[in-house]
Amino acid sequence: MNHAYFLTRMPQTLRLQIEAESVYAPWLKQGETLERIFANPAIMETVYNQMTLRERKVLRLIVSCIGCEPFDAARLEKLAQPVMSGADAKVGFLLLLRKGICYTFRKSWGEHVYVMSPDALALWQPILLEETAASGGETAAELTVTGGAGLARELFYTLVFIRDHPIRLTKSGALHKRQLQKLVELSSLQDEWFTGTGIKYAYADTYPYSIAVILEFLTRLGLLDKQGEEMPLKDSAVSGWLSLSEEEQTAVLYRIWQPVAFPGAVWLQHAALWLERRQEGQWIQAAELLQWLFAHQLVQSDAAEEDGAAVIDMLERQWLFPLIAFGWLEKGETATGKVCYRWRIRPGKDGFSSDEVDAGGGRWYVQPDFEVLVPSDVTLAARWELSYFADHIKSDHVSIYKLSKEGVQRGLESGRSLEEMAGLLADHAHYGLPDNVQLTLEQWAKPFGRLQFEQAVLLRCRDQEAADTVRKLTAAADCLAEELGERVWIVRPDQINRLTGLLDKAGWMPGKLAISSGNPAAASHSSEAEEEGGKENIRSGKAPEEPWRPEPGDKGFIYARHAIGYFEMEQRLPNVAELYPDLNGIPTGWMKDYRTYHASTRREMVEKAMEWKAALQVRHNGKDRLIAPRKLQETRGTWSMTGLDQAELQEVCWLADDVQEMKIILPGINDKY
């Protein structure tokens, strides 16, 4: 859930409130939007430079100690206690909320919960946590652990299987065991890569991690359509998905996976985001990452070797192993045994960046022995169409497909003609279609369609009188396709309702249509027409007029770690004055006049400051101090105040007579002292 997601959920009143912040005015006047402003590091660094000191302190606490985990006001206040007053923290945080740095949600019982988006954390990391000097040393390493061809390919082969073997569910909503086993065999994902992620999902006692992960992506992308106990593919969505390059698909898949398995510990979040900013194809030593984590005190450790090993082990299990499984990351080892990693495909600013841009111009090789050699640069859209009539044998750097009589029959039954199949092979072939292959395809296809099974709707009359009545109804002639005998006709599927009405008016009662499995011809007619446009784009190899962009859904197969997606976003944010209840109920002099008050009045001021978690300007031993009172207690006939000296960041404890002049300081109201 990134900035764009939260902004789509944001009430218009709140958006207008954020847009009214003066800090954004220069860019909004230039036609920028909040979406683009929040994604621009240069703009947000300028915004940071214009923040107040208390805003910066609170922002640093959130970035360093919370990250993008949901939190409440009590947690933030506890984190802020050693460095600032509670009121300072509340005001600083409110100013951040009004700038859209974090988002406010309201639980059903009214309690507020806050969250920073992962892309915001990624943006603030280099601004607030500067880079440390590189450790240097070895840059060469030997590859030790790598994944498969890539998640995009993994999903592609799954889609082909589901297309050819539609998913059928049990009454409990689970996959049938035989089909589940086939999907497990098809997948190259290994369960051990995901055991450390802590993900939870339905049917966990039946489905291995690999299947849950695949179903998560298919569900989020909207590629499956739940229809009772069946779950067919949504052809239009599949067509759109296959129109994207593998690079674009991988970018979408990463944006789906990140919120599903993003670590909860803030240091793990920062480690993951730090790795995202490393260059693709270059080895990154784990020691360099540890040095950065320790330097910013994100991990509390003496940097002992065993501590570092434990940190890296946790990072691998919770975050890196799935990335390796998806083919995005690789693990290696230097000559001296140091662990390192490198991106095969690196997540960039707008998704994934790669030097290998899929231009969509890849071609395959059709061999005289009926094998089709498909290099990695052939688009998935072309592979999808090829898979209708060619059997996938294996995949490596080059995928191998095999043409067969059974495959050609399968393609013909799916609605492809011989000309379309031969044309696809020839159009994408480096050296055209061998003559023997063309001739054999024609021979295999020749018998198809000369005999054909069809389902039909019959009008059957029990006696001759009824049959004569039908013949006399001239209006009924258009509803009948063919007469099969003296008392039987084939009815046109799209004219059943009209014929029923005509027979009713004639005094006959034909009753309900009596067929056990419906009429596939009628049922499929509209769906074929609806989806033919998307299929035609794939068959012809043409890109859609407008690029398809998936909109991942809020709910997937894997359970969300947090319920924040179900909460309602707050409509508006309060003003600073609303943070201080009964502000008008105290003497204005307490906030204006810096002077000596009666002991009882000083006590009342301390109590009020504690209620508001505000600070007091006091004179102690002839020196002005800013104290955030934390405790007031009776001491030998008088009282004492314990609090935080906000300049020295030290706790002080003074008796009533130790304090001379006094004034309440309310952040955002009377900041100067």
Side-chain angles (χ1 to χ4, degrees):
M1 294 183 285
N2 55 18
H3 265 311
Y5 167 81
F6 288 121
L7 288 171
T8 58
R9 292 193 57 186
M10 181 177 290
Q12 186 64 16
T13 53
L14 180 57
R15 185 180 182 111
L16 292 174
Q17 195 173 359
I18 294 173
E19 289 176 343
E21 289 291 305
S22 59
V23 70
Y24 297 133
W27 294 284
L28 292 173
K29 287 179 181 178
Q30 295 173 20
E32 293 288 352
T33 62
L34 288 182
E35 286 81 358
R36 291 200 294 266
I37 288 173
F38 289 162
N40 190 315
I43 293 179
M44 295 311 292
E45 186 168 8
T46 303
V47 170
Y48 175 75
N49 291 333
Q50 296 180 32
M51 289 180 183
T52 63
L53 179 60
R54 63 172 61 95
E55 286 178 90
R56 295 185 193 181
K57 284 184 177 181
V58 174
L59 179 58
R60 185 172 289 272
L61 284 172
I62 295 171
V63 168
S64 300
C65 304
I66 298 176
C68 47
E69 286 287 284
F71 62 97
D72 57 17
R75 183 181 179 191
L76 181 60
E77 182 182 333
K78 183 176 180 180
L79 289 170
Q81 272 188 352
V83 295
M84 59 200 308
S85 71
D88 260 321
K90 285 196 296 184
V91 171
F93 184 50
L94 175 60
L95 296 177
L96 293 179
L97 292 175
R98 294 175 70 89
K99 289 181 174 65
I101 306 300
C102 292
Y103 298 96
T104 308
F105 289 86
R106 187 173 60 253
K107 296 182 179 180
S108 56
W109 52 91
E111 184 182 350
H112 285 140
V113 62
Y114 310 95
V115 69
M116 173 180 283
S117 66
D119 56 335
L121 184 64
L123 183 144
W124 290 117
Q125 185 187 84
I127 295 176
L128 300 181
L129 308 175
E130 65 277 1
E131 292 289 347
T132 54
S135 58
E138 301 161 282
T139 57
E142 181 180 348
L143 182 64
T144 57
V145 185
T146 188
L151 181 58
R153 298 289 178 93
E154 186 85 21
L155 287 180
F156 172 78
Y157 295 127
T158 304
L159 288 172
V160 172
F161 176 81
I162 295 175
R163 180 198 67 194
D164 297 337
H165 308 85
I167 290 179
R168 302 188 188 283
L169 305 174
T170 64
K171 291 183 178 180
S172 66
L175 293 169
H176 284 277
K177 289 185 178 179
R178 182 175 297 179
Q179 194 163 42
L180 175 61
Q181 184 60 37
K182 289 288 187 182
L183 287 171
V184 171
E185 293 172 359
L186 182 67
S187 176
S188 66
L189 301 179
Q190 302 173 26
D191 275 10
E192 52 263 33
W193 293 119
F194 302 95
T195 54
T197 60
I199 57 176
K200 300 184 184 301
Y201 50 89
Y203 310 108
D205 56 341
T206 305
Y207 293 177
Y209 284 108
S210 57
I211 298 304
V213 168
I214 291 295
L215 290 176
E216 170 71 9
F217 287 112
L218 296 180
T219 305
R220 293 273 185 185
L221 290 168
L223 302 180
L224 295 177
D225 187 14
K226 182 74 178 296
Q227 297 179 0
E229 294 183 359
E230 296 187 355
M231 197 179 292
L233 296 179
K234 288 183 179 178
D235 286 352
S236 57
V238 172
S239 298
W241 175 245
L242 295 176
S243 71
L244 302 181
S245 68
E246 283 190 63
E247 185 183 49
E248 292 172 316
Q249 288 184 355
T250 305
V252 174
L253 295 174
Y254 183 82
R255 291 197 296 271
I256 291 174
W257 179 250
Q258 189 188 54
V260 169
F262 204 53
V266 67
W267 73 266
L268 283 169
Q269 296 177 17
H270 279 292
L273 295 174
W274 184 90
L275 283 169
E276 280 185 12
R277 295 192 284 119
R278 303 307 100 183
Q279 291 298 314
E280 180 180 315
Q282 297 181 4
W283 287 109
I284 312 150
Q285 288 193 22
E288 186 179 347
L289 170 58
L290 289 172
Q291 178 185 345
W292 182 82
L293 290 171
F294 293 147
H296 292 291
Q297 299 182 334
L298 295 170
V299 176
Q300 300 297 327
S301 172
D302 295 331
E305 186 175 338
E306 57 271 20
D307 294 333
V311 167
I312 293 301
D313 178 67
M314 191 177 298
L315 176 62
E316 286 184 342
R317 289 186 292 105
Q318 292 197 29
W319 182 245
L320 299 185
F321 281 160
L323 304 186
I324 294 175
F326 297 153
W328 300 339
L329 191 74
E330 293 176 324
K331 182 179 179 180
E333 189 175 291
T334 67
T336 58
K338 294 180 179 178
V339 175
C340 52
Y341 310 94
R342 71 178 175 190
W343 289 107
R344 287 176 61 187
I345 309 175
R346 183 186 68 86
K349 173 185 173 184
D350 299 316
F352 270 76
S353 61
S354 175
D355 294 333
E356 298 180 7
V357 178
D358 184 357
R363 292 179 175 274
W364 51 54
Y365 302 85
V366 182
Q367 305 288 84
D369 62 356
F370 300 96
E371 283 190 347
V372 183
L373 309 182
V374 184
S376 60
D377 59 348
V378 174
T379 65
L380 293 180
R383 292 168 185 261
W384 177 262
E385 196 60 29
L386 176 65
S387 68
Y388 269 103
F389 58 91
D391 299 314
H392 177 246
I393 305 302
K394 67 176 183 178
S395 288
D396 201 341
H397 296 296
V398 174
S399 299
I400 299 178
Y401 288 77
K402 185 79 173 182
L403 298 170
S404 66
K405 183 176 181 180
E406 293 76 13
V408 170
Q409 179 178 343
R410 187 175 68 242
L412 292 168
E413 290 173 347
S414 72
R416 279 111 188 109
S417 66
L418 171 65
E419 291 74 19
E420 287 177 323
M421 292 186 287
L424 179 80
L425 287 170
D427 290 345
H428 288 77
H430 259 296
Y431 305 112
L433 197 59
D435 291 341
N436 71 306
V437 173
Q438 174 72 45
L439 180 61
T440 304
L441 290 177
E442 292 173 358
Q443 291 175 344
W444 285 342
K446 187 175 182 180
F448 183 80
R450 299 179 71 179
L451 295 174
Q452 187 171 349
F453 290 104
E454 291 185 357
Q455 287 185 316
V457 176
L458 299 181
L459 175 63
R460 187 184 302 276
C461 301
R462 293 284 181 89
D463 53 51
Q464 192 61 42
E465 180 186 1
D468 292 339
T469 301
V470 172
R471 287 191 178 88
K472 292 177 182 178
L473 287 174
T474 56
D478 294 336
C479 303
L480 305 174
E482 183 179 347
E483 185 173 355
L484 300 181
E486 286 294 321
R487 298 195 299 253
V488 182
W489 286 265
I490 295 178
V491 181
R492 299 182 189 279
D494 57 343
Q495 297 294 318
I496 294 175
N497 291 337
R498 183 186 172 204
L499 180 59
T500 301
L502 292 172
L503 294 173
D504 281 339
K505 289 182 179 179
W508 298 89
M509 300 172 62
K512 293 182 179 180
L513 183 63
I515 51 178
S516 58
S517 59
N519 184 6
S524 63
H525 181 76
S526 60
S527 61
E528 288 178 1
E530 177 183 348
E531 295 165 352
E532 188 62 31
K535 290 182 179 179
E536 185 59 33
N537 285 331
I538 295 181
R539 293 191 199 183
S540 64
K542 297 178 181 178
E545 293 183 6
E546 293 186 6
W548 182 80
R549 288 292 178 266
E551 297 180 1
D554 293 344
K555 299 178 182 178
F557 185 79
I558 296 175
Y559 300 146
R561 289 195 302 115
H562 306 295
I564 193 137
Y566 300 94
F567 299 150
E568 182 181 355
M569 189 174 285
E570 189 57 83
Q571 296 283 330
R572 62 174 290 275
L573 297 171
N575 296 315
V576 172
E578 296 177 55
L579 298 179
Y580 306 107
D582 194 31
L583 181 59
N584 296 324
I586 65 168
T588 57
W590 288 9
M591 295 184 294
K592 291 183 177 181
D593 301 330
Y594 185 47
R595 63 183 180 81
T596 301
Y597 291 91
H598 188 273
S600 61
T601 303
R602 292 202 303 272
R603 178 171 183 149
E604 289 183 52
M605 294 173 70
V606 171
E607 291 173 340
K608 201 63 182 178
M610 289 174 57
E611 178 187 333
W612 284 333
K613 296 181 173 60
L616 292 166
Q617 179 187 354
V618 300
R619 183 175 294 276
H620 177 260
N621 292 335
K623 183 179 179 181
D624 286 343
R625 312 283 283 274
L626 190 65
I627 307 298
R630 301 283 168 78
K631 185 167 61 174
L632 188 149
Q633 59 187 9
E634 299 294 334
T635 305
R636 289 174 292 181
T638 182
W639 54 267
S640 66
M641 172 185 70
T642 303
L644 176 71
D645 185 325
Q646 296 198 183
E648 304 292 336
L649 295 183
Q650 293 180 348
E651 187 176 90
V652 298
C653 182
W654 296 332
L655 295 173
D657 293 337
D658 292 335
V659 178
Q660 289 84 48
E661 291 92 341
M662 181 182 287
K663 181 171 73 170
I664 294 180
I665 301 297
L666 298 182
I669 303 295
N670 63 331
D671 298 83
K672 294 183 179 181
Y673 69 95

